[in-house]
PDB file of all heavy atoms in Angstrom:
ATOM      1  N   ASN H 256       1.609   7.035 -17.057  1.00 52.00           N
ATOM      2  CA  ASN H 256       0.790   8.241 -17.132  1.00 52.00           C
ATOM      3  C   ASN H 256       1.262   9.334 -16.187  1.00 52.00           C
ATOM      4  O   ASN H 256       0.535  10.273 -15.897  1.00 52.00           O
ATOM      5  CB  ASN H 256      -0.688   7.920 -16.909  1.00 52.00           C
ATOM      6  CG  ASN H 256      -0.951   7.253 -15.577  1.00 52.00           C
ATOM      7  OD1 ASN H 256      -0.027   6.957 -14.836  1.00 52.00           O
ATOM      8  ND2 ASN H 256      -2.207   7.013 -15.278  1.00 52.00           N
ATOM      9  N   ALA H 262       6.189   2.631  -3.599  1.00 93.00           N
ATOM     10  CA  ALA H 262       7.361   1.836  -3.238  1.00 93.00           C
ATOM     11  C   ALA H 262       7.579   1.886  -1.730  1.00 93.00           C
ATOM     12  O   ALA H 262       7.116   2.808  -1.050  1.00 93.00           O
ATOM     13  CB  ALA H 262       8.595   2.380  -3.953  1.00 93.00           C
ATOM     14  N   LYS H 275     -11.756   9.636   5.995  1.00 95.00           N
ATOM     15  CA  LYS H 275     -10.822   8.710   6.653  1.00 95.00           C
ATOM     16  C   LYS H 275      -9.365   8.978   6.279  1.00 95.00           C
ATOM     17  O   LYS H 275      -8.478   8.252   6.711  1.00 95.00           O
ATOM     18  CB  LYS H 275     -11.148   7.274   6.266  1.00 95.00           C
ATOM     19  CG  LYS H 275     -12.487   6.785   6.705  1.00 95.00           C
ATOM     20  CD  LYS H 275     -12.637   5.353   6.241  1.00 95.00           C
ATOM     21  CE  LYS H 275     -14.029   4.829   6.412  1.00 95.00           C
ATOM     22  NZ  LYS H 275     -14.133   3.443   5.937  1.00 95.00           N
ATOM     23  N   TYR H 285       3.847  -6.572  -0.600  1.00 83.00           N
ATOM     24  CA  TYR H 285       3.607  -8.000  -0.719  1.00 83.00           C
ATOM     25  C   TYR H 285       3.513  -8.466  -2.161  1.00 83.00           C
ATOM     26  O   TYR H 285       3.386  -9.663  -2.422  1.00 83.00           O
ATOM     27  CB  TYR H 285       2.367  -8.395   0.087  1.00 83.00           C
ATOM     28  CG  TYR H 285       2.591  -8.154   1.552  1.00 83.00           C
ATOM     29  CD1 TYR H 285       2.100  -7.017   2.175  1.00 83.00           C
ATOM     30  CD2 TYR H 285       3.353  -9.034   2.295  1.00 83.00           C
ATOM     31  CE1 TYR H 285       2.343  -6.774   3.517  1.00 83.00           C
ATOM     32  CE2 TYR H 285       3.609  -8.801   3.638  1.00 83.00           C
ATOM     33  CZ  TYR H 285       3.098  -7.673   4.243  1.00 83.00           C
ATOM     34  OH  TYR H 285       3.349  -7.431   5.567  1.00 83.00           O
ATOM     35  N   ASN H 298     -11.912 -25.322   5.108  1.00 90.00           N
ATOM     36  CA  ASN H 298     -11.706 -24.283   6.123  1.00 90.00           C
ATOM     37  C   ASN H 298     -11.133 -23.007   5.510  1.00 90.00           C
ATOM     38  O   ASN H 298     -10.078 -23.032   4.879  1.00 90.00           O
ATOM     39  CB  ASN H 298     -10.743 -24.775   7.209  1.00 90.00           C
ATOM     40  CG  ASN H 298     -11.302 -25.966   7.945  1.00 90.00           C
ATOM     41  OD1 ASN H 298     -12.469 -25.975   8.309  1.00 90.00           O
ATOM     42  ND2 ASN H 298     -10.475 -26.973   8.148  1.00 90.00           N
ATOM     43  N   HIS H 299     -11.840 -21.909   5.734  1.00 86.00           N
ATOM     44  CA  HIS H 299     -11.348 -20.599   5.279  1.00 86.00           C
ATOM     45  C   HIS H 299     -10.389 -20.075   6.339  1.00 86.00           C
ATOM     46  O   HIS H 299     -10.787 -19.835   7.475  1.00 86.00           O
ATOM     47  CB  HIS H 299     -12.516 -19.636   5.074  1.00 86.00           C
ATOM     48  CG  HIS H 299     -12.092 -18.273   4.648  1.00 86.00           C
ATOM     49  ND1 HIS H 299     -11.542 -18.042   3.407  1.00 86.00           N
ATOM     50  CD2 HIS H 299     -12.118 -17.093   5.294  1.00 86.00           C
ATOM     51  CE1 HIS H 299     -11.262 -16.755   3.314  1.00 86.00           C
ATOM     52  NE2 HIS H 299     -11.596 -16.160   4.446  1.00 86.00           N
ATOM     53  N   TRP H 307       0.016  -3.572   0.272  1.00 91.00           N
ATOM     54  CA  TRP H 307       0.976  -2.742   1.001  1.00 91.00           C
ATOM     55  C   TRP H 307       0.740  -2.784   2.503  1.00 91.00           C
ATOM     56  O   TRP H 307      -0.393  -2.832   2.955  1.00 91.00           O
ATOM     57  CB  TRP H 307       0.853  -1.288   0.550  1.00 91.00           C
ATOM     58  CG  TRP H 307       0.979  -1.105  -0.915  1.00 91.00           C
ATOM     59  CD1 TRP H 307      -0.032  -0.951  -1.812  1.00 91.00           C
ATOM     60  CD2 TRP H 307       2.183  -1.067  -1.662  1.00 91.00           C
ATOM     61  NE1 TRP H 307       0.479  -0.823  -3.070  1.00 91.00           N
ATOM     62  CE2 TRP H 307       1.833  -0.883  -3.013  1.00 91.00           C
ATOM     63  CE3 TRP H 307       3.529  -1.165  -1.326  1.00 91.00           C
ATOM     64  CZ2 TRP H 307       2.776  -0.800  -4.027  1.00 91.00           C
ATOM     65  CZ3 TRP H 307       4.473  -1.078  -2.341  1.00 91.00           C
ATOM     66  CH2 TRP H 307       4.094  -0.904  -3.669  1.00 91.00           C
ATOM     67  N   GLY H 314       0.946   5.892  14.488  1.00 96.00           N
ATOM     68  CA  GLY H 314       1.570   4.754  15.139  1.00 96.00           C
ATOM     69  C   GLY H 314       0.962   3.410  14.789  1.00 96.00           C
ATOM     70  O   GLY H 314       1.510   2.373  15.111  1.00 96.00           O
ATOM     71  N   ILE H 319      -3.242  -2.409   2.963  1.00 90.00           N
ATOM     72  CA  ILE H 319      -4.107  -1.704   2.032  1.00 90.00           C
ATOM     73  C   ILE H 319      -3.692  -1.964   0.589  1.00 90.00           C
ATOM     74  O   ILE H 319      -2.546  -2.327   0.333  1.00 90.00           O
ATOM     75  CB  ILE H 319      -4.071  -0.194   2.387  1.00 90.00           C
ATOM     76  CG1 ILE H 319      -5.217   0.563   1.784  1.00 90.00           C
ATOM     77  CG2 ILE H 319      -2.733   0.413   2.060  1.00 90.00           C
ATOM     78  CD1 ILE H 319      -5.487   1.870   2.503  1.00 90.00           C
TER      79      ILE H 319
END
Side-chain angles (χ1 to χ4, degrees):
N256 58 356
K275 297 180 190 179
Y285 296 99
N298 298 315
H299 178 68
W307 306 99
I319 197 159

